[in-house]
Amino acid sequence: MLEFLYQIDVAVFFFVNHNLQNSFFDWLMPIVTEQRNWFPVFAVVYVWLWWKGGKTGRTAALLIIPVVVLSDQLSSAALKPFFQRVRPCVALEGVNAITGISTSFSFPSSHAVNSFAAAMLFTHFYPTQKWPLFICAFLSGFSRIYLGKHYPFDVIGGAVIGVLCALVVIKSYEIGLRRYQLGRKQNSAG
């Protein structure tokens, strides 16, 4: 069964990495995948959340910090060393490695984990923005396959892990908020 799943993973990987290759994606995907390119966007959104986002915006801006810390550390420091999956650009012959070869471990894709964690958190607070948020997360994951850095299952696994990380932080916040509000109510009544 694992061999069958691996064959599917490799087949889909090569479909994206070879069959979908075109000059536009060759230009766009390195831009999409480079996290430094997104920092100005993140900074503007973060400032806007604090300045104009009201209570909801400030809550989302505050919670994105533990979401990204949890998702990134779980992915990079725990899961990648545990699974030690070799990247396709190292393991397979004939990979179009447009941005070079990375030798760190492959599963899960940290890009996917972090992107989907952020998309899930912001979707919780801004449900009308669900599609743009998840399209951006999808593009981040897709870019990793296209550029030869990750297998599709690395990205799918990363997406699931990222969503779960965001849900853990959201649920923890909601439980903590309810306890805080209950404690305040009991103190004011007493």
Side-chain angles (χ1 to χ4, degrees):
M1 181 63 170
L2 286 178
E3 181 60 31
F4 175 70
L5 291 174
Y6 176 72
Q7 289 173 358
I8 290 173
D9 211 14
V10 170
V12 174
F13 169 80
F14 275 120
F15 175 78
V16 172
N17 185 253
H18 282 188
N19 296 32
L20 297 183
Q21 186 177 15
N22 61 73
S23 59
F24 177 69
F25 279 1
D26 287 354
W27 169 80
L28 179 64
M29 292 303 144
I31 294 170
V32 168
T33 207
E34 182 56 54
Q35 292 175 326
R36 285 178 289 171
N37 295 334
W38 292 94
F39 287 151
V41 175
F42 297 150
V44 168
V45 168
Y46 199 79
V47 168
W48 182 88
L49 288 169
W50 278 103
W51 185 37
K52 295 282 190 182
K55 182 180 178 183
T56 300
R58 287 187 294 278
T59 302
L62 184 65
L63 290 182
I64 193 63
I65 296 167
V67 164
V68 170
V69 168
L70 174 62
S71 65
D72 193 60
Q73 290 305 301
L74 179 63
S75 169
S76 299
L79 296 176
K80 283 187 182 201
F82 177 78
F83 288 105
Q84 296 186 5
R85 187 176 197 195
V86 178
R87 290 183 186 262
C89 57
V90 174
L92 303 174
E93 293 289 327
V95 172
N96 291 324
I98 296 165
T99 58
I101 294 175
S102 300
T103 57
S104 58
F105 293 125
S106 189
F107 182 86
S109 163
S110 293
H111 279 71
V113 172
N114 294 332
S115 297
F116 278 89
M120 186 67 222
L121 176 78
F122 288 124
T123 294
H124 176 76
F125 290 102
Y126 300 99
T128 61
Q129 300 304 310
K130 172 174 61 176
W131 286 109
L133 290 165
F134 278 102
I135 287 171
C136 286
F138 169 82
L139 284 174
S140 176
F142 178 83
S143 74
R144 305 305 288 165
I145 302 166
Y146 184 85
L147 296 171
K149 305 290 186 185
H150 287 286
Y151 294 96
F153 288 162
D154 298 342
V155 172
I156 293 167
V160 170
I161 293 163
V163 166
L164 291 174
C165 286
L167 291 174
V168 164
V169 170
I170 291 165
K171 192 65 173 171
S172 299
Y173 166 74
E174 290 173 346
I175 291 169
L177 182 62
R178 278 197 297 274
R179 287 184 179 169
Y180 171 75
Q181 290 170 339
L182 182 62
R184 283 190 62 176
K185 213 180 264 187
Q186 289 173 345
N187 286 342
S188 65

